[in-house]
Amino acid sequence: ARDGFATGGGVGRAQVTLRIRQNAGPFLVTSFARGGKVRPGSKQVVEWEVNGTRPLARNVRILLSTDGGRTWRTMRKSTANDGAAVVRFPRKKTSNARIMIAANGNYFFDVNDNPFRIRR
């Protein structure tokens, strides 16, 4: 990767092992697929379609963006990749929230299809 500075730059490398399954996926966030709203500070169930990905990642993390996906904060560091988990939404109001569910120990993730609101 380059950093955009003429005098900068560097070299990096990493060993990566990907586990794949031809019949797994797609891994899809189904909560807030059409937008919607949630109350600040409330607990809600977030859902996703596992679609055969459990052998690839037994656990996932759940992240929230309140700025349309520019930045993310962790809501659950690790939960079973079973299709549902309860999370508490922050008290911050927004009209541009997104949920991301990402595999722990693997490369796949998904973000819900449409922004949703965190409002009273």
Side-chain angles (χ1 to χ4, degrees):
R2 297 293 299 179
D3 60 9
F5 293 101
T7 60
V11 176
R13 67 175 219 166
Q15 293 272 337
V16 176
T17 301
L18 297 178
R19 294 183 324 270
I20 59 173
R21 290 183 64 174
Q22 189 171 5
N23 60 349
F27 180 81
L28 300 169
V29 177
T30 54
S31 288
F32 306 107
R34 293 190 174 116
K37 76 175 183 175
V38 64
R39 296 189 87 160
S42 67
K43 286 185 179 179
Q44 299 284 326
V45 175
V46 173
E47 297 178 317
W48 64 96
E49 293 290 333
V50 177
N51 289 328
T53 60
R54 188 158 168 78
L56 299 173
R58 295 186 57 78
N59 294 297
V60 296
R61 62 191 175 281
I62 301 173
L63 301 103
L64 173 71
S65 174
T66 56
D67 58 13
R70 284 190 301 264
T71 61
W72 296 91
R73 67 182 265 186
T74 301
M75 296 177 77
R76 291 283 296 266
K77 189 175 181 176
S78 185
T79 189
N81 184 11
D82 60 7
V86 175
V87 295
R88 181 178 299 276
F89 284 85
R91 297 195 180 277
K92 180 177 182 171
K93 295 178 183 176
T94 181
S95 298
N96 205 11
R98 296 285 187 139
I99 292 284
M100 177 194 300
I101 302 179
N104 284 347
N106 211 316
Y107 62 93
F108 59 89
F109 68 94
D110 190 42
V111 176
N112 71 300
D113 290 341
N114 289 293
F116 63 96
R117 296 177 295 150
I118 301 175
R119 293 261 193 259
R120 286 215 167 275

